[in-house]
């Protein structure tokens, strides 16, 4: 059986760069920050560096607490409602900001991003396909 899928955005990424990195914008009220973020289908949550939350004037520890487990250990993060824009697709979602300043990456995970988009990938060609999820 063959199925056809259409996407709004085709994004070409560098196959020689580690991970699939895209530009993202986070907004909260009148505050906005721009950053680079990796798509991580193995991450449960969307997690960002602490200083980005502070740049949005967010009180990090006032958010929804979470203990995030990884292969190498665990760390604390706090969830906050923000407006997230990636590849021209914008929606309000909860993202997590790491408690520690030592957390050194930004990731788009399953809850908060992948659960809101239609997602396709052709890795050998470095092509990422996305659209807002519409049922």
């Amino acid at each position: 059986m063959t199925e056809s899928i259409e996407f709004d955005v085709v994004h070409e990424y560098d196959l020689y760069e580690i991970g699939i990195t895209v530009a993202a914008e986070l907004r909260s009220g009148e505050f906005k920050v721009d950053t680079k973020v990796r798509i991580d289908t193995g991450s449960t949550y969307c997690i960002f560096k602490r200083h980005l939350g502070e740049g949005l004037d967010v009180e990090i520890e006032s958010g929804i607490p979470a203990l995030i487990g990884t292969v190498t250990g665990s760390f604390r993060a706090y969830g906050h409602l923000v407006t997230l824009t990636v590849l021209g697709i914008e929606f309000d979602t909860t993202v997590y900001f790491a408690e520690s300043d030592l957390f050194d990456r930004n990731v788009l995970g399953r809850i908060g991003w992948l659960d809101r988009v239609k997602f396709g990938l052709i890795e050998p060609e470095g092509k990422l396909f996305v659209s807002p999820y519409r049922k």
Side-chain angles (χ1 to χ4, degrees):
M1 180 173 124
T2 302
E3 186 167 334
S4 189
I5 303 173
E6 293 184 16
F7 293 93
D8 295 341
V9 177
V10 178
H11 174 76
E12 294 188 16
Y13 60 92
D14 187 347
L15 288 170
Y16 298 103
E17 187 175 312
I18 295 173
I20 300 169
T21 303
V22 294
E25 176 188 277
L26 300 165
R27 281 183 310 180
S28 180
E30 63 191 64
F31 297 94
K32 175 184 95 154
V33 294
D34 295 308
T35 192
K36 295 286 186 183
V37 61
R38 285 190 184 152
I39 297 171
D40 185 347
T41 60
S43 177
T44 301
Y45 300 108
C46 298
I47 307 167
F48 291 87
K49 298 176 188 177
R50 179 183 183 95
H51 79 88
L52 294 171
E54 292 170 342
L56 295 174
D57 201 34
V58 167
E59 290 185 36
I60 303 299
E61 284 79 9
S62 71
I64 303 162
L67 184 62
I68 311 292
T70 72
V71 172
T72 60
S74 60
F75 63 94
R76 289 204 174 282
Y78 297 88
H80 292 271
L81 184 64
V82 301
T83 301
L84 174 64
T85 306
V86 176
L87 299 172
I89 300 170
E90 176 181 294
F91 44 78
D92 294 334
T93 189
T94 298
V95 303
Y96 287 77
F97 296 102
E99 179 179 63
S100 172
D101 288 321
L102 300 177
F103 186 79
D104 66 350
R105 65 198 63 200
N106 301 312
V107 297
L108 293 174
R110 289 180 33 245
I111 298 172
W113 193 70
L114 280 170
D115 63 351
R116 294 162 188 254
V117 297
K118 186 168 50 169
F119 178 83
L121 186 67
I122 303 176
E123 174 66 14
E125 296 179 20
K127 288 185 180 177
L128 168 69
F129 303 85
V130 286
S131 290
Y133 178 73
R134 300 176 197 98
K135 192 161 185 162

